[in-house]
Amino acid sequence: MDSSKLGYAPLLSQLRNYKKEHLPKDLIAGLTVAVVLVPQAMAYALVAGLPPVYGLYAASIPLIVAAIFQATPQIAIGPVAITSFLTYGALITFVKPSDPAFIDYAIIMAFLVGIIRLIMGLFKLGFLLRFVSNAVVVGYSSAAAIIIASTQVPSFLGIKVEQKTYVFQNFYEIAKNLIHTNPYTLIVGLGSFVVIVGLRKIHKNFPSALAAVVLFTFLSYAFDFQSYGIAVIGDIPSGLPLPSFPDFANLDMETVAHLLPGALIISIIGFMESYSMSKIIALKTGTKVDTNQDLIAQGLANIASSFFKGFPISGSFSRSALNLQAGAVTNLSSVVSALFVIFTLFLFAPLLYYLPKATLAALVISAVIGIIRIQYFRKLWYTNRFDAIASVFTFAFAFITRPDFAILIGMLLALALFLWNSLYPRIVSLTRDPKSKTFVNAQANNLPECPQITIVRPEASLYYANVENVIEDFEQMIKQKPALKHFVIDGEGINSVDTTAMETLYDFIKNTKSKSVNVVFVNLKGTVKNLFAKAGLIEVIGEENILPSKGSAIDVLFDKIDHNYCKQECPYAVFDECYTVKEYVKLLPVEEDFIQKLYNQINLDECEVSLVKKGNFIRVECDKNTRIEFKSSNFAKDEKGRIYLYPSISAKVKGEYISFGLLAKYANLEFSNGYILLSKDGSMQETIENTLKIIRIKLL
């Protein structure tokens, strides 16, 4: 436990070294955030199922407490949409918003969230946040944004809806009551939405929410909106409540059991928004992120919120971005925002009596629309299917079960998928690229492998859960190559091995050697090699079979394979050493006018074919996502006139890059010595026919 952090107050340190030129920046930034914070605080209180004034309580003294201890100056603390929604979701399962106890439990929830975050900060548990998948958070946030908007629909339309535990039930209740929509309330809601969004379009930093609140509060007072059945927020007590402990009198173990899971989820998920923003701020300002200090600050702020009748609060992404953009330098900007809220509570609270609830509903709806990230799901699907599955499932479960359950399901699913993925690590078969002379993925480039020397690279550390699957893959590879003499394992991707993995490797090596196949390790990390030595694996492997690189392994192992097999049966020349025992095929550049001849005879109606004279290459474009380029350096010929195409060059096919070798495989073209054979006799006609086969495979 780091209790010294409780005595660390960044604001006091900032004030001791404060520069007078920072004061205008902090004042402007604080006021800029405040004019957004006041209407948002009231609106998000409604999201939490509370009267609007409780949002102002949560946005007052707690912000000053947070500012004293906060490590990241530009983070704007206060009520936020997701935290408010999580609070509502945690409480609605056992108490209704109409019950006076709902407010008491929301205040207690702030206290519990504060204690949990404070403990996390003091015990340096901020690293746990890294285990929460961003894909899950985005999936949940997108669903929550839709659900939050739906909770404001009754106020937006002027209808009464009985709140249910499950979201789909609330959707049904809304649909059932649409017929009772108050047209005047709807007009006010739409008008407020247009004002907020319209003014924001004019200038993104314009306080459009405050403008809408002021405008429609005035119109409500002037035209007596209440006489048209338009609901207003009513009396707001002036001033701040006296600090007091939350009411724990009626708190029993059953209620605690209801509150704690929700408090834990709010503590972690609610902080994620602040955590993400602090990393962005650190990149822009060159400061260091101190997650544990920020957890302490927000923990104390939530405890303070419970003392002043507030509900759980967190760092706001949008207001923090505004604070940064407005030029905030120190934590003093947050103090300015808090003082503005307190000023509002003392002087303007009575004037807010006439504020239409439809205006606050419009404010919430306009704020949460930006949280929905449909494009993110599409991006995930193309980059990481496991993340996409976790994100989509979290999104879906938020609608069919309790929202707090959905985030737990999403987190567990993401963890399960991660573990599942680690059970089946990718194993890459390597071979030498005939052009670059480097070792590349054999399957991806459709390059031949040596039948007597197999090189594989497991792309994961080996531990008790995945090692048997890895060994099964190894054994399957060995089984498919009857002429195999040496099985080379590239340890470049193996960062660690546990005891079970070493025991399994021991059995594998012994078993493989009994089948007259030698096991060789290359590129072993020093730590892994030391573990091998301690476990006695080095003795089984043999010092001579632990080599520094793949290249050195080929130098050593080539002399130990069956050269008669190489000469008489193997159709490939994977390594340069192959030509020491079989006919040497010397590859030569094609003629200077080869590309011009090829271009003149290519006839392809499906795509646009052009000759780029500056680079002397042919470009074939079928659409913006499919393009192939043939350069003279991609082609070669041998002394017998045969024409070849290098297989490891890539082409863009429907947005993805695929090697010529893979396309040639799909086109059933012949390979010779590891190259694509376009013509056996140097015929230009045959070369063009086979080149067109590659292009047309792209189209399919």
Side-chain angles (χ1 to χ4, degrees):
M1 175 176 169
D2 190 0
S3 58
S4 64
K5 281 187 172 290
L6 276 174
Y8 174 54
L11 177 61
L12 301 181
S13 176
Q14 292 166 4
L15 291 177
R16 279 195 295 269
N17 303 296
Y18 200 77
K19 298 178 181 178
K20 61 181 181 180
E21 59 265 27
H22 291 167
L23 184 59
K25 295 179 180 179
D26 284 334
L27 283 172
I28 292 170
L31 291 172
T32 302
V33 171
V35 296
V36 175
L37 173 61
V38 168
Q40 281 192 354
M42 292 190 291
Y44 293 152
L46 291 177
V47 172
L50 301 167
V53 69
Y54 287 87
L56 296 176
Y57 294 158
S60 56
I61 299 298
L63 270 67
I64 298 175
V65 174
I68 293 172
F69 295 96
Q70 191 167 275
T72 309
Q74 292 82 8
I75 292 293
I77 307 297
V80 296
I82 298 298
T83 300
S84 301
F85 173 66
L86 284 169
T87 302
Y88 175 80
L91 298 179
I92 194 67
T93 58
F94 66 98
V95 61
K96 299 296 181 186
S98 56
D99 190 331
F102 189 94
I103 295 175
D104 293 333
Y105 290 140
I107 293 169
I108 292 171
M109 184 69 82
F111 181 81
L112 293 175
V113 169
I115 293 296
I116 292 170
R117 286 187 184 167
L118 182 60
I119 290 172
M120 288 179 68
L122 290 175
F123 286 90
K124 297 185 177 181
L125 300 177
F127 71 91
L128 292 175
L129 296 170
R130 299 171 192 169
F131 291 95
V132 182
S133 167
N134 189 58
V136 171
V137 173
V138 171
Y140 179 78
S141 299
S142 296
I146 297 172
I147 298 168
I148 290 169
S150 74
T151 64
Q152 301 307 301
V153 168
S155 296
F156 195 85
L157 301 179
I159 60 177
K160 291 184 178 180
V161 172
E162 183 183 354
Q163 293 295 328
K164 303 288 186 179
T165 301
Y166 297 103
V167 175
F168 66 87
Q169 294 174 318
N170 289 324
F171 285 168
Y172 173 73
E173 288 292 320
I174 291 170
K176 188 171 70 174
N177 287 281
L178 283 177
I179 193 172
H180 303 301
T181 297
N182 183 328
Y184 301 108
T185 302
L186 178 59
I187 291 170
V188 171
L190 289 172
S192 302
F193 187 84
V194 169
V195 169
I196 293 168
V197 175
L199 291 177
R200 197 183 294 159
K201 291 283 186 184
I202 295 173
H203 195 286
K204 63 180 180 180
N205 291 336
F206 190 88
S208 56
L210 185 65
V213 167
V214 172
L215 173 62
F216 283 92
T217 300
F218 172 75
L219 292 175
S220 174
Y221 171 78
F223 295 99
D224 190 14
F225 278 7
Q226 287 176 282
S227 64
Y228 295 94
I230 301 171
V232 297
I233 64 173
D235 288 318
I236 291 184
S238 295
L240 279 169
L242 293 174
S244 61
F245 276 96
D247 185 6
F248 297 115
N250 298 320
L251 203 62
D252 53 29
M253 291 307 297
E254 185 180 351
T255 307
V256 171
H258 280 294
L259 290 173
L260 272 179
L264 186 61
I265 291 172
I266 294 169
S267 299
I268 296 173
I269 302 303
F271 188 78
M272 287 298 294
E273 188 172 348
S274 174
Y275 177 61
S276 300
M277 191 62 203
S278 64
K279 290 193 290 184
I280 294 172
I281 290 171
L283 285 173
K284 291 189 175 182
T285 61
T287 55
K288 185 180 178 182
V289 177
D290 189 342
T291 304
N292 294 313
Q293 184 64 42
D294 284 342
L295 278 166
I296 289 172
Q298 292 194 29
L300 293 171
N302 273 281
I303 293 172
S305 182
S306 72
F307 287 172
F308 285 90
K309 299 190 182 303
F311 56 94
I313 57 176
S314 297
S316 165
F317 195 96
S318 59
R319 294 197 300 271
S320 298
L322 182 61
N323 201 26
L324 177 66
Q325 191 175 13
V329 180
T330 71
N331 295 2
L332 190 62
S333 64
S334 293
V335 177
V336 173
S337 298
L339 292 175
F340 184 89
V341 174
I342 296 170
F343 182 77
T344 301
L345 274 167
F346 275 96
L347 295 183
F348 297 115
L351 300 178
L352 294 172
Y353 176 95
Y354 296 98
L355 174 60
K357 288 185 178 180
T359 298
L360 287 181
L363 193 159
V364 172
I365 293 169
S366 65
V368 299
I369 286 174
I371 300 176
I372 304 169
R373 297 170 64 182
I374 301 300
Q375 287 296 113
Y376 185 83
F377 295 119
R378 189 176 300 170
K379 179 182 177 182
L380 276 181
W381 187 253
Y382 288 112
T383 55
N384 189 314
R385 293 289 170 88
F386 282 168
D387 278 350
I389 290 169
S391 191
V392 169
F393 265 77
T394 306
F395 179 87
F397 269 96
F399 294 99
I400 61 178
T401 186
R402 282 172 45 184
D404 51 343
F405 282 2
I407 194 72
L408 282 174
I409 291 169
M411 290 167 64
L412 290 173
L413 179 61
L415 181 60
L417 289 172
F418 169 77
L419 292 174
W420 176 265
N421 194 33
S422 73
L423 288 177
Y424 299 93
R426 184 169 178 245
I427 298 175
V428 179
S429 293
L430 301 172
T431 191
R432 183 169 272 170
D433 186 325
K435 186 173 183 181
S436 67
K437 304 301 180 184
T438 58
F439 287 90
V440 297
N441 187 323
Q443 281 81 17
N445 295 286
N446 196 41
L447 291 173
E449 299 175 65
C450 175
Q452 298 189 74
I453 302 175
T454 286
I455 307 173
V456 297
R457 183 178 65 219
E459 298 194 334
S461 295
L462 304 180
Y463 70 111
Y464 66 93
N466 71 3
V467 66
E468 288 194 9
N469 295 322
V470 172
I471 296 302
E472 282 180 14
D473 288 343
F474 286 172
E475 290 173 343
Q476 189 64 28
M477 291 175 176
I478 293 170
K479 188 177 180 180
Q480 292 171 353
K481 293 188 174 181
L484 188 64
K485 301 296 182 190
H486 301 283
F487 189 77
V488 181
I489 301 173
D490 184 357
E492 192 173 3
I494 304 174
N495 294 315
S496 64
V497 288
D498 68 4
T499 305
T500 304
M502 286 189 287
E503 290 173 354
T504 309
L505 280 172
Y506 183 95
D507 292 338
F508 164 72
I509 295 164
K510 294 277 285 186
N511 184 49
T512 305
K513 283 190 171 184
S514 70
K515 297 175 182 176
S516 301
V517 177
N518 187 36
V519 179
V520 178
F521 283 86
V522 299
N523 293 324
L524 275 181
K525 305 284 176 66
T527 52
V528 175
K529 189 175 180 180
N530 289 337
L531 287 172
F532 278 12
K534 291 177 182 178
L537 269 179
I538 300 291
E539 296 174 11
V540 181
I541 299 167
E543 286 281 1
E544 71 281 5
N545 291 320
I546 297 180
L547 299 167
S549 66
K550 294 181 284 290
S552 62
I554 301 305
D555 291 341
V556 172
L557 301 178
F558 190 82
D559 292 336
K560 300 179 181 180
I561 62 176
D562 184 350
H563 292 168
N564 286 328
Y565 180 91
C566 292
K567 187 174 182 180
Q568 297 172 12
E569 297 187 49
C570 179
Y572 312 121
V574 176
F575 312 117
D576 290 342
E577 290 85 352
C578 295
Y579 291 119
T580 62
V581 295
K582 65 194 327 180
E583 180 189 3
Y584 175 63
V585 178
K586 183 178 181 181
L587 293 182
L588 305 168
V590 293
E591 296 83 0
E592 290 184 7
D593 61 348
F594 177 84
I595 289 294
Q596 181 70 56
K597 289 179 180 178
L598 191 64
Y599 172 72
N600 291 340
Q601 297 185 51
I602 285 183
N603 184 14
L604 194 65
D605 296 331
E606 304 96 320
C607 305
E608 181 182 342
V609 183
S610 57
L611 177 65
V612 182
K613 292 186 177 180
K614 186 176 180 181
N616 192 28
F617 65 89
I618 298 170
R619 176 180 292 150
V620 180
E621 289 186 285
C622 305
D623 54 57
K624 65 178 182 180
N625 290 318
T626 301
R627 185 176 69 187
I628 185 169
E629 293 178 349
F630 293 104
K631 300 179 181 179
S632 58
S633 58
N634 300 157
F635 298 89
K637 67 176 184 178
D638 62 19
E639 293 172 326
K640 295 181 179 180
R642 292 175 291 196
I643 299 176
Y644 303 88
L645 177 65
Y646 286 105
S648 56
I649 309 300
S650 295
K652 189 178 182 183
V653 181
K654 297 179 181 178
E656 297 182 8
Y657 286 91
I658 299 178
S659 69
F660 284 173
L662 203 55
L663 294 172
K665 178 183 178 182
Y666 295 149
N668 295 318
L669 296 186
E670 189 177 336
F671 283 73
S672 178
N673 291 327
Y675 301 89
I676 304 167
L677 183 60
L678 294 179
S679 174
K680 297 177 181 178
D681 57 5
S683 164
M684 201 64 185
Q685 186 59 39
E686 187 182 8
T687 300
I688 291 168
E689 287 176 2
N690 287 327
T691 303
L692 287 174
K693 284 181 182 179
I694 291 175
I695 297 172
R696 290 198 170 102
I697 282 293
K698 284 165 55 62
L699 297 176
L700 295 175

